Amino acid sequence: MSKNHWSGANPIPNIQKFVEGLDKDKKERDRQIDEENKRLKTQKADDVHPHTVGPKSGVKGTRKTVTDPTTGKQVQIEDVNKDMMNAVENPMLSVPNANLGKETTVKTDASQPNPEYKENQDITAPPDPIAPGSTSDVPIHGEKTNILFHPTPSVSYEPTFASLERKAGILCIGVMLAIIILGKMFGASLKGLIPTSACVASGIWLWMKEVVRSGREVEWDSEKERGQTATANLIPESVEWMNTLLGVVWGLIDPDMFASVADTLEDVMQASVPGIIENVRVAEINQGNNPIRILSLRALPDDHVKELKTSIHDDQKKTKDPQELAADEEGGDYYNLECSFAYHAAPAGKNASSKARNMHMQLVFYLGVKGLFGVPLPIFVELQGLVGTVRIRLQMSPEPPFLKALTFTLMGTPQVQAGCVPMLEHGVNILNLPLISNFVNYAIGAAASMYVAPKSMTMDMAAMLQGDDIQKDVLALGVMWIRIYKAVGLSKQDKRGSKHGGSDPYITLTFSKYGKPMYCTRVVTDDLNPIWEETAALLVTPELIKADEQLSVELWDSDRNTADDIVGKVELSMQKLIQHPGKMYPQVSKLKGMEEDSEMPGELHWEVGYFGKPQFRPALRTDGKDRSLAANLQDKPELQDEKGVINNETEDAVAHTPPDPLWPSGVCSIIVHQIVNLELENIKGTQGKRKGREYEPAKESGEQTDEESSKLPTSYCTILYNDQLVYRTRAKAVSSKPIFNAGTERFVRDWRSTIVTVTVRDQRYREHDPILGVVPLKLSDILQTSSQATRWYPLDGGIGFGRVRISLLFRSIETRLPPNMLGWDVGTFEFLSGRLLALEYKSHAKLKMRTGGSSGSISKTQCRSLPEGDGMFWDITKQEGKNNVRLPVKFRYRSPVVFEFHTAGKRSADAYAMIWLHHLVDNQEASVNIPIWRTKNGARLTQNYFTEENISAHKDIPGLEDLTEIGRLQFRCRFKAGMDEDHEQFVVDDASRETFETWEACLAEGVRNRKVTKEMPAKVQELHDKSLTEGRDVLKQADPNEQKKWLSKDGTDWSGAFTHDPKAYMDSKGNKKAEPGADEPVHNPYNPSSDDDDDGSDDSDDSSDELGIQDGTATARHTKANGQINGINRSETGGAGPMDEARIQRDNKKSERRKQRGLMQWKPARNAAFAKDEAKFAMKRLKHKMTGGLGGREPGVETETGT
């Protein structure tokens, strides 16, 4: 896998999952090892011959003694004769007989003293050993050459160490029991005896571990002596030359090169810390001057790296088009290596400074309870041992530096051993205690496991040399669009339900193997025939396709006090669906049960389609320069956005082509790379007396100089898409330069109005996390000449300073939604007319209005009869701040505005009217004329998607047989996109509070308007208009009606049938007979019949089998068969009323609290506010659980460790 930014799709590994998977493949590995050993034992030795001294290969008379310019010593050289070619054609290597299991006259042995060992090694060393009968010639390509020629000249103490640990363990247990028993006999208390015995036993155990460590250091030192002896004896085919080079270069390496290693390790440890550790931070990492050692190095043919080749191929499929990938694989040259490496700490003193010569890092553990308190404990971590094997595949290039890419994979998890010492004057190695050692060593192992075969990591060496970390394309291949219309004939789940009810159904969209809900509909209570009319867009990534994921449409029954029950499901093969892109496929699917070959009552009417990424239009290409700069500055390269390394035409198009107005919907990716010069503002002002300091500055100024300090914040970032919280990074403890490299991808309906907001916060204990700064990014402002932008943005609107580096990328999807479907989910419903008319309704009534999460009312006193006598009206003219009826909305595309008419003497509503918010276009005035209905079952009418059209198409609706139209409700209204002050009532937990606080900060600092507008960059508009009438364009050959459709102001159409029953586009066999949204339906679009209208044709490409639909019918058949926002207009209010004096004072108080001014500068006041809000949130949650509506399995906020 490539090292992508952390996200929900690429989560941080944790120790728990790593330990679970340690021995998952052990049996298979053992079997392969046994087979290999058996093969080697039975291998014939015909190609192994005793070594004989052959004729000299030099030309007679050419031998002479010269000075070697490399070493400065005297050497003999001679010309080579043609007999030397034999050694090239049949290369042989002299291997000691001792290594081949043959009799030998001389051999090296680990027990020999160094002088004797050195002499025996010298006389048996290739290429011309002089001891007869001691070596054999082996073909250099044979497996027998892959051996260690000479054993380490030392005695192995491992059996002694194992025995020592076993006996020390018994001794520790005995000492503990002895202290407790003897102390109790003499009258001591167990409260003192148990801790005392534990301390004494721990001391003995730690002393034993120190002895073992010292012994291993001596043993390792003898291995280094073997290498030095081999170098002195000039043994060829060894890697000691590389170890010698590493010894020189190791201390010269910049420790900053290991920053990514430290960051990864910190992420793993933070994701795995136990409850007693509040946080952890890697403060420093350094390689020391004791280098890593290479044990062996050998070249491998391609057939030895099949798994690595497959991993590289799968990885490159994500980022390259098929033609480019094929060209790389067929035209590139590759070199494969296998390298075994090891590291062992050199003997050092007791203090941390002497241990710094070894590879080490400094950790800071914050001991305490998460969210309450943390006491810092600095720890010095020394790498004591490391052994592993890595395989490397180098892709060569004819252009300097001749290396294009490097891919490596670890052949098993490396063996790691580290030691930890508290940074005190006399510290003991607490890592020798089992619990602590397991945590740190497993954390290192979990980080390494991300690259163990068959996983790998590919590094673009050319990009790395140029410092390129800019993403050029989104990870998603496309979008799967699902429209859930209705379900009919469901089974009754609750005994206490009504006549046509007894179930509270909702639907979740999940991936069958992943299991986590990706989308959840609203709950329709007490109904067996729910009508949802909801849409969802799910990103399709390469990982889902490679895993052969199935889209699982699951229907659940919601229960308030018990776990929800699954009623049935329908599954769809994603691999088959993406083979039919660009169209919607209506489906009527019978539900199948959870068991294999089972069927459940009911069927689901829905639509599904896959839409990929279109090619960039050349007509929209620009020079890629930042248009926000002055004209005379646009040509300066240092002022332009970072583009990174452009490797192909697609990446070049991303860098020079803005988003396409023809395809306003798409995938938006955002990555928060890092923050620099992050610090807290001094909220308490000047301190101390000024006497004697009259000429000193009042407070510190300039950039932050400390990288780590107790005064620095523990920062994390949240990401909001269109005022919805979707992502949260992990916290980076007390640092002025936190590195996140984390982000997410989301489907957005219209890039012209999308705003992505990044909020940086400081993690606090027992108080709300304050805002350090906000960065609102409006895509139409940022992406004016390019589809990708990587920039530094200042933090504003909080109590901190700093600059954050953010990458923003947008790729369109071939999806054309109607204007009403291109809006925001968060907004406010507001009336624009002075009164509401109820024609033909004759009762004085109080008008109650509600939508998802909010409600309002117009009192009965404002209800009057029309002068004509044909109805009533309600006066809602704004007077002194009254009658300002506005309904904040959280989920616009699944919510209606319900009007309830309440008259005197009746407990329930007398009549109902509804308008579904997805019928409205953002910020556009709409004239509404809807029917007023009367029924006894108002809940069934208002929860389901009922409109005048689909009600009139049905003769009898189950449960609504008494439904009658008694009047018409008329008014003018609009849906105002985006958050405003009315959304404060949605604050019920920390996530909603932080979301609302972010909007307040953006508004207060003037970096965002109250009204969200849809804007097209002037340059893009100019190029788009020109492209529609000139040049080679997709619309040039289109028919006039199609051109008119695109050139119209409301502009887009949709390949789907919003508000229509999908069954209307299908025949009785379930085959699609018309294109939804483009063709006329073959049946009544609201109440399709089941008549057989089969014309004899069969569109096999559109059938359920071809798409991989698995429902109850399929199961039965199977059984039978077997930005930066400029030009802010602060006076815009967007319908929220004038900025009166009281409102200004209220906003100022909120700003003081948010920036911790006034009373909030003192920690006790912030603690009290935190406690008050937490108590309020707890009461709201309890109230919702007891009296609120039923909820489904909603997806949560994405994080780097999953959701």
Side-chain angles (χ1 to χ4, degrees), residues 889-954:
V889 180
K890 277 199 303 184
F891 304 108
R892 176 260 197 94
Y893 284 103
R894 65 179 74 175
S895 304
V897 175
V898 178
F899 298 85
E900 296 181 353
F901 298 79
H902 289 265
T903 57
K906 295 185 68 174
R907 297 183 60 184
S908 60
D910 177 56
Y912 304 89
M914 298 169 298
I915 175 173
W916 288 85
L917 291 174
H918 66 250
H919 292 172
L920 304 177
V921 179
D922 280 8
N923 303 317
Q924 288 189 14
E925 180 178 329
S927 296
V928 177
N929 183 359
I930 54 178
I932 302 174
W933 305 100
R934 178 171 288 162
T935 179
K936 293 181 179 179
N937 197 342
R940 182 159 296 164
L941 173 68
T942 57
Q943 289 184 109
N944 288 286
Y945 177 73
F946 283 124
T947 63
E948 188 174 6
E949 291 80 9
N950 64 13
I951 288 179
S952 60
H954 291 78

Side-chain angles (χ1 to χ4, degrees), residues 849-1098:
M849 297 159 291
R850 55 184 170 85
T851 184
S854 64
S855 61
S857 63
I858 303 175
S859 67
K860 188 177 180 181
T861 58
Q862 295 172 258
C863 178
R864 299 178 180 87
S865 299
L866 288 170
E868 297 82 0
D870 58 347
M872 313 296 294
F873 75 93
W874 287 263
D875 184 6
I876 56 173
T877 306
K878 299 174 184 177
Q879 298 175 354
E880 299 179 357
K882 297 181 180 179
N883 298 339
N884 187 16
V885 182
R886 307 174 77 245
L887 298 178
V889 180
K890 277 199 303 184
F891 304 108
R892 176 260 197 94
Y893 284 103
R894 65 179 74 175
S895 304
V897 175
V898 178
F899 298 85
E900 296 181 353
F901 298 79
H902 289 265
T903 57
K906 295 185 68 174
R907 297 183 60 184
S908 60
D910 177 56
Y912 304 89
M914 298 169 298
I915 175 173
W916 288 85
L917 291 174
H918 66 250
H919 292 172
L920 304 177
V921 179
D922 280 8
N923 303 317
Q924 288 189 14
E925 180 178 329
S927 296
V928 177
N929 183 359
I930 54 178
I932 302 174
W933 305 100
R934 178 171 288 162
T935 179
K936 293 181 179 179
N937 197 342
R940 182 159 296 164
L941 173 68
T942 57
Q943 289 184 109
N944 288 286
Y945 177 73
F946 283 124
T947 63
E948 188 174 6
E949 291 80 9
N950 64 13
I951 288 179
S952 60
H954 291 78
K955 295 181 179 179
D956 294 312
I957 301 175
L960 293 176
E961 293 83 359
D962 63 337
L963 185 66
T964 56
E965 181 180 341
I966 61 172
R968 309 287 297 187
L969 184 65
Q970 299 178 354
F971 55 88
R972 287 182 295 110
C973 66
R974 73 174 174 185
F975 179 82
K976 187 186 79 68
M979 193 171 282
D980 58 25
E981 287 84 357
D982 295 304
H983 283 75
E984 189 170 9
Q985 62 182 278
F986 289 142
V987 176
V988 294
D989 53 22
D990 282 330
S992 55
R993 181 193 61 79
E994 291 177 357
T995 302
F996 183 74
E997 192 178 52
T998 295
W999 174 82
E1000 284 185 320
C1002 292
L1003 192 68
E1005 295 301 316
V1007 292
R1008 174 164 169 186
N1009 292 329
R1010 290 183 179 276
K1011 184 178 179 181
V1012 177
T1013 57
K1014 184 182 298 184
E1015 298 175 357
M1016 178 86 74
K1019 182 65 176 178
V1020 178
Q1021 186 68 60
E1022 176 187 343
L1023 293 172
H1024 175 58
D1025 292 343
K1026 186 177 179 181
S1027 73
L1028 295 179
T1029 55
E1030 297 181 5
R1032 302 175 64 184
D1033 188 74
V1034 292
L1035 295 179
K1036 189 66 177 178
Q1037 290 79 28
D1039 60 77
N1041 290 332
E1042 184 72 10
Q1043 289 185 4
K1044 183 179 179 181
K1045 187 181 297 181
W1046 283 108
L1047 290 169
S1048 63
K1049 290 184 179 180
D1050 57 354
T1052 54
D1053 68 342
W1054 164 249
S1055 299
F1058 288 105
T1059 75
H1060 290 183
D1061 191 329
K1063 188 177 180 181
Y1065 296 84
M1066 305 169 65
D1067 62 18
S1068 58
K1069 295 182 179 180
N1071 296 320
K1072 186 173 75 171
K1073 307 304 295 182
E1075 189 63 37
D1079 302 329
E1080 289 296 324
V1082 297
H1083 300 285
N1084 185 316
Y1086 304 106
N1087 185 23
S1089 66
S1090 300
D1091 297 337
D1092 192 353
D1093 55 358
D1094 191 4
D1095 57 3
S1097 62
D1098 185 11

Side-chain angles (χ1 to χ4, degrees), residues 464-483:
M464 288 182 64
L465 292 174
Q466 299 182 44
D468 184 17
D469 62 346
I470 297 175
Q471 187 174 349
K472 309 300 192 311
D473 201 356
V474 295
L475 299 178
L477 300 174
V479 165
M480 185 163 52
W481 187 271
I482 301 105
R483 184 173 77 93

Side-chain angles (χ1 to χ4, degrees), residues 249-250 252-263 285 287 464:
V249 176
W250 192 255
L252 306 178
I253 298 176
D254 186 358
D256 288 342
M257 290 184 61
F258 297 93
S260 60
V261 178
D263 190 56
I285 188 168
Q287 78 275 17
M464 288 182 64

Side-chain angles (χ1 to χ4, degrees), residues 23 284 454 533 624 670 1197:
D23 291 330
E284 178 197 358
E533 183 53 38
I670 183 170
V1197 177

Side-chain angles (χ1 to χ4, degrees), residues 601-668:
E603 62 182 22
L604 180 66
H605 296 215
W606 62 302
E607 270 188 295
V608 63
Y610 169 75
F611 301 89
K613 295 176 286 189
Q615 296 293 326
F616 286 96
R617 286 197 293 156
L620 296 181
R621 185 177 175 87
T622 69
D623 55 13
K625 296 178 181 179
D626 187 357
R627 297 295 176 183
S628 63
L629 296 173
N632 60 340
L633 298 178
Q634 291 183 10
D635 293 328
K636 294 184 178 294
E638 63 270 19
L639 299 180
Q640 300 303 315
D641 291 339
E642 302 177 55
K643 303 295 184 184
V645 180
I646 306 298
N647 294 317
N648 52 55
E649 292 183 1
T650 301
E651 293 184 359
D652 183 62
V654 168
H656 296 92
T657 310
D660 196 336
L662 289 181
W663 312 107
S665 303
V667 180
C668 180

Side-chain angles (χ1 to χ4, degrees), residues 402-654:
F402 310 111
L403 179 60
K404 185 175 182 180
L406 181 150
T407 302
F408 72 87
T409 181
L410 294 169
M411 307 307 292
T413 304
Q415 179 66 39
V416 181
Q417 183 64 39
C420 288
V421 177
M423 300 202 63
L424 308 172
E425 187 173 352
H426 300 289
V428 295
N429 189 348
I430 61 172
L431 194 67
N432 285 331
L433 294 176
L435 291 177
I436 302 177
S437 64
N438 287 345
F439 174 71
V440 178
N441 288 324
Y442 279 149
I444 299 174
S449 68
M450 293 188 295
Y451 311 112
V452 173
K455 300 176 184 177
S456 64
M457 180 176 180
T458 300
M459 296 182 291
D460 188 335
M461 301 306 294
M464 288 182 64
L465 292 174
Q466 299 182 44
D468 184 17
D469 62 346
I470 297 175
Q471 187 174 349
K472 309 300 192 311
D473 201 356
V474 295
L475 299 178
L477 300 174
V479 165
M480 185 163 52
W481 187 271
I482 301 105
R483 184 173 77 93
I484 302 168
Y485 183 64
K486 70 176 182 179
V488 295
L490 301 182
S491 59
K492 195 167 185 175
Q493 301 292 316
D494 302 323
K495 296 180 180 179
R496 293 180 293 179
S498 62
K499 179 180 179 182
H500 297 284
S503 182
D504 305 315
Y506 67 92
I507 284 179
T508 62
L509 302 177
T510 68
F511 299 123
S512 58
K513 298 177 182 178
Y514 188 37
K516 185 181 75 173
M518 306 304 294
Y519 180 82
C520 180
T521 68
R522 67 187 184 277
V523 177
V524 178
T525 59
D526 195 30
D527 204 325
L528 300 181
N529 301 281
I531 306 176
W532 288 283
E533 183 53 38
E534 293 190 28
T535 55
L538 304 183
L539 302 187
V540 179
T541 62
E543 287 77 11
L544 297 176
I545 303 302
K546 289 188 293 185
D548 194 18
E549 276 282 13
Q550 307 284 312
L551 172 68
S552 182
V553 185
E554 300 175 351
L555 193 143
W556 297 75
D557 173 51
S558 180
D559 293 314
R560 185 182 301 279
N561 299 316
T562 59
D564 294 353
D565 305 315
I566 188 166
V567 179
K569 67 177 181 178
V570 178
E571 291 189 337
L572 174 145
S573 171
M574 295 179 63
Q575 285 191 359
K576 292 184 178 181
L577 178 64
I578 66 173
Q579 299 176 38
H580 306 273
K583 293 182 179 180
M584 292 294 289
Y585 295 92
Q587 302 292 328
V588 177
S589 306
K590 290 190 176 181
L591 297 175
K592 72 172 188 176
M594 299 305 293
E595 302 296 330
E596 191 70 22
D597 298 333
S598 62
E599 187 176 344
M600 296 292 289
E603 62 182 22
L604 180 66
H605 296 215
W606 62 302
E607 270 188 295
V608 63
Y610 169 75
F611 301 89
K613 295 176 286 189
Q615 296 293 326
F616 286 96
R617 286 197 293 156
L620 296 181
R621 185 177 175 87
T622 69
D623 55 13
K625 296 178 181 179
D626 187 357
R627 297 295 176 183
S628 63
L629 296 173
N632 60 340
L633 298 178
Q634 291 183 10
D635 293 328
K636 294 184 178 294
E638 63 270 19
L639 299 180
Q640 300 303 315
D641 291 339
E642 302 177 55
K643 303 295 184 184
V645 180
I646 306 298
N647 294 317
N648 52 55
E649 292 183 1
T650 301
E651 293 184 359
D652 183 62
V654 168

